[in-house]
């Protein structure tokens, strides 16, 4: 098939219709490859290498967050325990919540997008690859900063939402709350930058023929998610930046004595904070859709309904934030509105669940490890949704606000809605990432251990919560009658954490010794399975042409492809937004050390500005230098000709 690209190929440049087979593969791999050695490693702009680092880093933060949770559960196992004192306990739940939400929850969804979206839309790299590299380093440095602070006993202790006045200058002197606030800035910058790369990749780099209704559901989920990120995160940047200004330079945004407003902080935070839970959930719906379709062996039931539900969820998620503030003394009418909107969002979520069940029902499901975790997700997430509907009613919420009932609820939705699908996604895409299969036998053991461990940990918390046990207390008296259920929760936490150790063992041992996978071990239909496992640096030797939603099911023998791209230059096809028609050819950036340098300069600026506002002035100089290096114009091939 002929390329529709309009620039006339230059005669002296080798194009992919002039070479074939192994030679084409090797030459493209050279053009798109990453240099060895430290500088090469730090300069890479390959979305797969960065995506893999992103995924591994986010999962390591999941472990750190989990570890801090296990210490909390050990402390709560028996009444009047003296394992950790109140100060350390405050830091533990803050580090746990903050790590889980900002260093695991948001990044893990974007990390999978960085790796998979370019492959799934049939292109060779993510849009703005250097920005993407920069984002990863900024995220890494922000996460390291807060954990180093915790190790040095200057970690935050104000909870994952750092309410004022507790986190303000009066009640939190010292640097603890600043570390929390500045870590937010790091993750915001990187989160938004990645979201932009993903949106542009989906809009402009799709393979020819991938019209809007042929975009894989996973890609739709990541697209909607990226928009939610772009609209939600600025609210929390505003919250954390103004908090730091109140603390550092004596502004009074949140100080009622000087005309500020403490509730303003809660509004800003939750205007981000509620969409945040969808930022954690939406990518998971993408994992679920991909896995359900593959293992049901049929196209998704209700593709259009699923896409529309995703978009509806994205919109509605911005209209619910006040349900986190029911006990702040809202006007009655306001509270009723947010009760109604909170219940409303159950509708698109319900539609998605029904579409997935219908797909499985009508398909020929194959119960391998990924599908087991998806079924676990159905049970746990729906249970969390039900307690969510309960909490949306103001009288009930007023009773159980800040009790362990709420802790139970949000772990059912977060772990059910994100961690179970994530585990499924790892089992599912591991062969693509590494070229090897994970052990199915360990996977089944892992599933039952995780499913039982999870429920034994978190189900009893509903009851302790209803019995009145508040969250964020480091211990309790034996007379309260909470001891047995807490011991049960703690035992469950050990089981649950054990399931992750088994998971890690499975990952490490399968990466070394697992059976070879081949390109498409699950017989899946989307384009990432057309690439080698693990994919070559160029992803595809020739860019596929998409005629169907599951191209690999429609063209079992050979995919139609376009030819005409350069073999010696990093050229990609840029396509039109709605029809995915090839529009032009464009070269994409080469590897560069400057994004890494810029991330270091950003880190110096951000960390410095926790101590003095002058860091913003002086810190911008090295940052400007690195940006100049980054954007320094290089004579492009076109100019040279
Ligand atoms: C090993 C698994 C986990 C265990 C045993 C666990 C346990 C706990 C416990 C006991 C608390 C309440 C502490 C207190 O209020 O006194 C808590 C809080 C929290 N957890 Fe988890 N958790 C786990 C995993 C997760 C995951 C995967 C997420 C998110 C994706 C998460 C998000 C949170 C948040 C946001 C808080 C609130 C922190 C705060 O009060 O500031 N947890 N967790
Ligand atoms: Cu909410």
């Amino acid at each position: 098939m002929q390329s529709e690209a309009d620039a006339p190929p230059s005669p002296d440049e080798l194009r992919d219709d002039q070479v074939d087979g192994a030679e084409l593969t090797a030459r493209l791999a050279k053009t798109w490859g990453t240099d060895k050695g430290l500088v090469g490693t730090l300069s890479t702009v390959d979305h797969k290498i960065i995506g893999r680092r992103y995924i591994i880093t986010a999962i390591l933060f999941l472990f750190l967050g989990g570890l801090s949770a296990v210490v909390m559960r050990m402390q709560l196992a028996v009444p009047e325990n003296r394992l950790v004192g109140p100060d350390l306990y405050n830091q533990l739940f803050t580090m746990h919540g903050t790590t889980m939400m900002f260093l695991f929850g948001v990044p893990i969804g974007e990390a999978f997008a960085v790796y998979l979206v370019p492959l799934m839309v049939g292109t060779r790299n993510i849009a703005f690859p250097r920005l993407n590299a920069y984002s990863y380093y900024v995220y890494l440095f922000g996460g390291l900063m807060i954990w180093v602070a915790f190790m040095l006993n200057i970690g935050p202790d104000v909870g994952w939402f750092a309410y004022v006045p507790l986190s303000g200058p009066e009640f939190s002197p010292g640097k603890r709350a600043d570390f929390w606030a500045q870590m937010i800035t790091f993750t915001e910058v990187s989160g938004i930058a990645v979201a932009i790369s993903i949106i542009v990749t989906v809009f402009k780099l799709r393979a020819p023929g991938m019209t809007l209704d042929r975009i894989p559901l996973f890609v739709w989920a990541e697209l909607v998610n990226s928009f939610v990120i772009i609209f939600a995160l600025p609210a929390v940047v505003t919250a954390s930046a103004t908090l730091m200004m109140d603390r550092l330079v004596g502004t009074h945004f949140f100080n009622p004595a000087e005309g500020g407003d403490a509730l303003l902080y809660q509004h800003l935070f939750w205007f981000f904070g509620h969409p945040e839970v969808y930022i954690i959930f939406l990518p998971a719906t993408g994992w679920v859709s991909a896995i359900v379709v593959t293992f049901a062996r049929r196209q998704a039931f209700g593709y259009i309904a699923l896409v529309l539900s995703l978009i509806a969820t994205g919109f509605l998620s911005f209209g619910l934030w006040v349900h986190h503030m029911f006990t702040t003394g809202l006007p009655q009418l306001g509270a009723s509105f947010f009760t109604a909107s909170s219940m409303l969002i159950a509708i698109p979520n319900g539609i998605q669940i029904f579409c997935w069940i219908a797909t499985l029902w009508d398909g020929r499901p194959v119960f391998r490890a990924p599908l087991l975790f998806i079924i676990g997700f159905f049970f746990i997430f729906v249970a969390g949704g039900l307690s969510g509907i309960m909490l949306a009613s103001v009288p009930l919420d007023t009773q159980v606000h800040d009790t362990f009932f709420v802790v139970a609820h949000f772990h059912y939705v977060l772990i059910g809605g994100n961690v179970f699908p994530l585990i499924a996604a790892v089992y599912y895409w591991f062969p693509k990432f590494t070229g090897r299969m994970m052990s199915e036998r360990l996977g089944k053991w892992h599933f039952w251990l995780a499913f039982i461990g999870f429920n034994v940990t978190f189900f009893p918390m509903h009851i302790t919560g209803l019995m009145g046990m508040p969250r964020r207390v480091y211990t309790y008296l034996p007379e309260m009658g909470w001891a047995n259920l807490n011991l049960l929760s703690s035992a469950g936490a050990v089981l649950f954490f054990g399931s992750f150790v088994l998971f890690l063992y499975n990952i490490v041992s399968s990466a070394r010794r697992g059976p070879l996978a081949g390109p498409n071990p699950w017989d899946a239909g989307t384009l990432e399975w057309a690439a080698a496992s693990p994919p070559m640096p160029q992803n595809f030797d020739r860019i596929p042409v998409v005629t169907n939603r599951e191209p690999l099911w429609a063209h079992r023998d050979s995919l139609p492809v376009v030819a005409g791209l350069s073999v010696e230059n990093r050229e990609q096809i840029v396509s039109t937004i709605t029809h995915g028609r090839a529009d032009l050819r464009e070269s994409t950036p080469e590897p560069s050390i400057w994004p890494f340098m810029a991330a270091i300069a950003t880190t110096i600026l951000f960390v410095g500005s926790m101590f003095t506002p002058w860091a913003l002035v002086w810190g911008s100089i090295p940052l400007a230098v690195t940006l100049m290096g980054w954007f320094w114009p290089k004579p492009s091939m076109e100019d040279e000709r």
Side-chain angles (χ1 to χ4, degrees):
M1 201 175 284
Q2 258 302 295
S3 153
E4 286 166 280
D6 44 10
S10 78
D12 51 338
E13 199 175 340
L14 189 63
R15 306 224 148 246
D16 64 5
D17 39 12
Q18 295 160 343
V19 272
D20 228 338
E23 195 195 343
L24 178 63
T25 311
R27 279 174 177 268
L28 281 169
K30 189 161 161 288
T31 304
W32 288 86
T34 292
D35 288 344
K36 298 252 171 345
L38 186 63
V39 177
T41 308
L42 295 176
S43 305
T44 186
V45 288
D46 184 328
H47 73 100
K48 298 175 293 297
I49 299 181
I50 295 170
R52 200 171 57 206
R53 287 183 195 161
Y54 234 122
I55 295 172
I56 292 174
T57 311
I59 291 182
L60 287 180
F61 280 122
L62 171 69
F63 265 87
L64 284 179
L67 218 53
S68 45
V70 170
V71 179
M72 287 193 289
R73 279 311 335 164
M74 292 304 101
Q75 164 65 18
L76 294 178
V78 290
E80 296 195 301
N81 199 357
R82 288 281 168 269
L83 181 68
V84 296
D87 285 340
L88 183 56
Y89 193 84
N90 290 347
Q91 292 168 49
L92 283 171
F93 68 67
T94 305
M95 289 303 292
H96 169 71
T98 306
T99 301
M100 289 303 195
M101 301 306 267
F102 292 100
L103 298 176
F104 162 70
V106 179
I108 192 70
E110 291 193 310
F112 267 79
V114 166
Y115 195 108
L116 288 172
V117 164
L119 283 162
M120 281 192 175
V121 302
T123 187
R124 289 192 170 145
N125 205 353
I126 195 164
F128 311 130
R130 290 186 181 177
L131 184 66
N132 185 45
Y134 169 79
S135 311
Y136 168 72
Y137 293 120
V138 168
Y139 154 61
L140 177 69
F141 296 155
L144 288 179
M145 178 196 74
I146 198 169
W147 274 89
V148 168
F150 174 66
M151 302 294 172
L152 298 177
N153 192 20
I154 38 176
D157 58 354
V158 286
W160 84 277
F161 36 72
Y163 276 174
V164 291
L166 173 65
S167 61
E170 197 177 341
F171 298 101
S172 288
K175 285 285 160 220
R176 290 187 186 277
D178 298 299
F179 277 105
W180 179 86
Q182 200 60 322
M183 192 280 299
I184 304 295
T185 321
F186 277 91
T187 51
E188 300 301 316
V189 169
S190 82
I192 293 178
V194 179
I196 291 170
S197 299
I198 293 167
I199 291 175
V200 177
T201 308
V202 179
F203 277 176
K204 296 303 294 176
L205 297 182
R206 301 202 305 279
M210 189 177 279
T211 51
L212 287 184
D213 61 350
R214 290 179 189 152
I215 296 181
L217 286 162
F218 170 84
V219 176
W220 269 114
E222 294 284 2
L223 179 68
V224 173
N225 191 47
S226 302
F227 275 105
V228 176
I229 287 177
I230 288 180
F231 286 101
L233 295 205
V236 71
V237 182
T238 312
S240 65
T242 43
L243 173 64
M244 281 195 61
M245 284 164 75
D246 272 13
R247 295 174 49 81
L248 198 67
V249 293
T251 53
H252 297 285
F253 287 103
F254 305 123
N255 179 5
E258 299 285 342
D261 186 350
L263 267 191
L264 173 66
Y265 181 88
Q266 295 197 19
H267 281 294
L268 282 173
F269 186 88
W270 290 113
F271 187 78
F272 144 82
H274 190 83
E276 157 85 344
V277 304
Y278 287 93
I279 293 171
I280 292 178
F281 177 57
L282 284 170
T285 66
W287 301 327
V288 176
S289 292
I291 293 168
V292 162
V293 166
T294 297
F295 288 90
R297 301 270 178 266
R298 59 153 283 164
Q299 294 215 331
F301 175 91
Y303 173 90
I304 302 280
L306 280 164
V307 173
L308 292 179
S309 314
L310 280 171
I311 298 174
T313 308
F315 270 103
L316 288 176
S317 69
F318 285 94
L320 283 70
W321 79 96
V322 178
H323 65 205
H324 296 269
M325 300 166 60
F326 278 155
T327 56
T328 55
L330 296 170
Q332 184 93 56
L333 186 65
S336 314
F337 174 85
F338 285 97
T339 295
S341 63
S342 302
M343 295 190 172
L344 204 63
I345 201 156
I347 296 174
N349 285 333
I351 292 176
Q352 285 175 291
I353 303 258
F354 283 124
C355 286
W356 290 321
I357 292 178
T359 310
L360 283 173
W361 201 271
D362 192 51
R364 288 168 285 127
V366 186
F367 290 92
R368 304 287 295 274
L371 191 58
L372 286 183
F373 280 94
I374 297 296
I375 290 169
F377 146 79
F378 285 140
F379 280 99
I380 297 174
F381 184 73
V382 168
L386 292 177
S387 59
I389 301 265
M390 292 162 75
L391 288 168
S393 103
V394 178
L396 188 122
D397 183 71
T398 312
Q399 278 300 313
V400 298
H401 181 75
D402 266 349
T403 67
F404 262 85
F405 187 86
V406 174
V407 177
H409 156 70
F410 65 70
H411 284 89
Y412 267 79
V413 280
L414 289 170
I415 296 182
N418 179 283
V419 178
F420 271 69
L422 166 71
I423 298 171
V426 171
Y427 276 94
Y428 180 62
W429 278 293
F430 187 85
K432 183 51 59 188
F433 299 157
T434 64
R436 292 179 185 274
M437 305 296 289
M438 285 179 72
S439 156
E440 185 70 21
R441 198 172 49 86
L442 283 182
K444 298 225 159 81
W445 278 99
H446 174 196
F447 170 74
W448 286 109
L449 199 57
F451 189 76
I452 295 171
F454 171 83
N455 284 295
V456 175
T457 313
F458 292 101
F459 194 80
M461 292 185 192
H462 291 107
I463 306 170
T464 45
L466 289 174
M467 289 164 84
M469 178 166 170
R471 67 193 278 199
R472 298 178 169 176
V473 291
Y474 84 104
T475 193
Y476 50 92
L477 293 172
E479 297 86 81
M480 305 306 294
W482 304 333
N484 290 342
L485 287 168
N486 270 296
L487 188 60
L488 190 61
S489 267
S490 297
V494 174
L495 279 185
F496 193 43
F497 194 79
S499 78
F500 283 90
V501 175
L502 191 62
F503 185 37
L504 200 64
Y505 172 76
N506 198 350
I507 290 178
V508 173
S509 67
S510 305
R512 291 227 212 96
R513 294 186 298 272
L516 289 178
N520 191 1
W522 309 112
D523 192 19
T526 41
L527 285 180
E528 79 274 30
W529 302 103
S533 300
M536 297 296 286
Q538 67 269 32
N539 290 354
F540 308 96
D541 285 352
R542 292 212 176 83
I543 299 301
V545 174
V546 177
T547 59
N548 189 283
R549 209 172 282 152
E550 266 80 27
L552 302 196
W553 289 349
H555 306 278
R556 292 238 162 235
D557 308 320
S558 72
L559 275 176
V561 292
V562 286
L565 285 179
S566 169
V567 178
E568 293 162 354
N569 276 300
R570 298 184 165 224
E571 232 174 41
Q572 304 208 103
I573 297 179
V574 177
S575 46
T576 57
I577 293 187
T578 41
H579 292 96
R581 216 177 300 119
D583 202 11
L584 26 109
R585 288 188 310 248
E586 200 184 51
S587 345
T588 88
E590 304 276 330
S592 159
I593 191 70
W594 289 109
F596 174 72
M597 295 298 188
I600 292 195
T602 309
T603 305
I604 294 171
L605 187 153
F606 283 173
V607 174
S609 63
M610 289 167 49
F611 297 91
T612 159
W614 286 104
L616 289 177
V617 179
W618 299 117
S620 60
I621 296 173
L623 186 58
V625 172
T626 56
L627 290 181
M628 278 190 245
W630 178 339
F631 291 105
W632 202 259
K634 247 190 12 188
S636 71
M637 294 306 279
E638 282 75 28
D639 298 337
E640 283 175 355
R641 265 181 231 127

